[in-house]
Amino acid sequence: MPKYNKLVRDRIPEIIEGNGEEPITRILNDEEYRSELIKKLNEEYDEVVNASGEDIIEELADMLEVMESIAKLQNKTLDNIIIEKEKKKNKRGGFSKKIFLEGVKK
């Protein structure tokens, strides 16, 4: 029996059952859930870094799904994240100018 030991999307167990297999699952407590979401965020980050072409959009969507779940644990929403992003962008700017800081002279 393959062992995965990782957080999966809600419909994965029914998809596994649809393939004639039996998923072995358990429900995480909030502390475990948070820890597994952070692991999943890192996993999705790696997939974004290694994606190419149009695949990067799908991987970013996966990353956004995890971010939304982390926000919910904080009783926040994706809108709250976007508001914070805009505040930071207004204060410090975005990345559209492609500025690469090589150093600072004193």
Side-chain angles (χ1 to χ4, degrees):
M1 171 178 76
K3 292 199 177 205
Y4 293 96
N5 292 321
K6 69 178 193 171
L7 182 66
V8 295
R9 288 178 174 268
D10 297 341
R11 293 194 58 224
I12 295 301
E14 75 182 62
I15 291 169
I16 291 170
E17 288 171 349
N19 291 334
E21 299 173 307
E22 180 184 354
I24 310 298
T25 64
R26 69 182 177 90
I27 304 302
L28 301 174
N29 65 38
D30 285 348
E31 186 177 313
E32 292 171 314
Y33 181 50
R34 184 188 184 289
S35 177
E36 291 301 316
L37 280 169
I38 298 302
K39 286 180 191 177
K40 182 62 77 173
L41 188 61
N42 281 311
E43 177 187 321
E44 298 302 343
Y45 163 80
D46 287 340
E47 290 177 8
V48 168
V49 168
N50 293 309
S52 60
E54 287 296 313
D55 290 343
I56 198 166
I57 299 302
E58 182 179 340
E59 300 306 338
L60 285 169
D62 289 344
M63 199 169 186
L64 195 57
E65 182 72 34
V66 175
M67 291 168 61
E68 184 176 33
S69 295
I70 293 169
K72 282 182 186 175
L73 269 180
Q74 303 297 316
N75 295 314
K76 302 292 181 183
T77 66
L78 201 48
D79 287 339
N80 295 117
I81 294 172
I82 292 168
I83 289 166
E84 287 302 313
K85 176 198 82 78
E86 288 300 319
K87 284 181 190 175
K88 199 162 198 176
K89 184 176 182 179
N90 289 335
K91 184 175 181 180
R92 301 177 64 95
F95 296 99
S96 62
K97 293 182 180 178
K98 305 176 188 177
I99 298 169
F100 184 79
L101 181 64
E102 293 180 341
V104 177
K105 288 184 182 180
K106 297 244 178 188

